[in-house]
Amino acid sequence: MKLYKWLGNEHEALALKNKGWFVLTNGSEATAIHEQEASADDQAEAYEILDQKGRLEDGGFAVFNNIPVTDEGRELFESRFQNRAGLVEKEPGFAAIRILRPLDSDTYVILTMWEDESAFTNWQSSQAYSHAHKKRGTSEGIDKRPNIFPRPSFVTTYSK
């Protein structure tokens, strides 16, 4: 299955909403996502869904963790997410997750949907979050492996 992500302004996003896209905003910027086939004229980034849980529509706050990965790092990166503990799905306020492989770029997206922003911040301070990220910054962490990440990751957030 594929997911398409469009970025633009809030006014333009309303036209996509009328075509069945799920629209989120963060001030003057908007993103629209669609989990069906989209036509090329939508100017959307395409992703293959590697893993998914929950319904995007059930959330009100979206977190896009954008992670650039080199070609040689893709296999290791994907295996880490395929073997994840899945603790995030048990957190209060969790709505959905999508692990997205880019089709036309090097930037993977880990999209999580939450009931609201406080549910996400509560997850970040939870024991489950600490467990999920316990190897980060250690010699066992993927972030310390050479030639996997060509540049830093970044997070964008949006809400309904």
Side-chain angles (χ1 to χ4, degrees):
M1 181 180 234
K2 291 181 184 171
L3 179 137
Y4 298 86
K5 179 178 81 170
W6 174 92
L7 294 173
N9 68 48
E10 192 171 350
H11 178 69
E12 294 170 318
L14 292 177
L16 291 175
K17 187 174 186 176
N18 293 334
K19 294 180 182 178
W21 288 63
F22 185 66
V23 176
L24 301 153
T25 62
N26 70 359
S28 61
E29 188 177 89
T31 187
I33 50 182
H34 198 286
E35 291 188 291
Q36 306 289 325
E37 290 297 320
S39 61
D41 64 343
D42 288 326
Q43 299 178 337
E45 297 174 17
Y47 298 88
E48 181 178 348
I49 299 174
L50 298 179
D51 189 17
Q52 63 181 2
K53 301 281 188 271
R55 291 173 14 101
L56 296 175
E57 297 82 6
D58 292 342
F61 184 74
V63 179
F64 291 77
N65 192 356
N66 304 275
I67 308 170
V69 178
T70 63
D71 285 342
E72 67 185 271
R74 283 179 172 239
E75 185 177 336
L76 177 60
F77 182 80
E78 288 181 15
S79 77
R80 289 289 172 108
F81 276 98
Q82 289 168 344
N83 296 309
R84 65 190 183 84
L87 298 176
V88 68
E89 290 97 347
K90 298 174 184 158
E91 286 298 303
F94 170 84
I97 187 169
R98 300 294 185 270
I99 311 297
L100 305 172
R101 175 195 291 145
L103 297 181
D104 300 314
S105 76
D106 67 350
T107 304
Y108 284 74
V109 175
I110 312 307
L111 165 58
T112 54
M113 289 293 297
W114 300 88
E115 185 177 284
D116 53 33
E117 187 173 0
S118 65
F120 172 68
T121 57
N122 289 340
W123 151 247
Q124 287 183 302
S125 60
S126 72
Q127 287 183 345
Y129 180 91
S130 296
H131 178 75
H133 298 91
K134 68 183 176 189
K135 293 182 181 178
R136 183 183 287 170
T138 71
S139 60
E140 294 180 62
I142 192 173
D143 59 320
K144 293 299 182 182
R145 300 273 179 100
N147 305 319
I148 292 181
F149 303 110
R151 58 193 178 283
S153 62
F154 61 97
V155 173
T156 52
T157 60
Y158 299 87
S159 57
K160 278 188 187 175

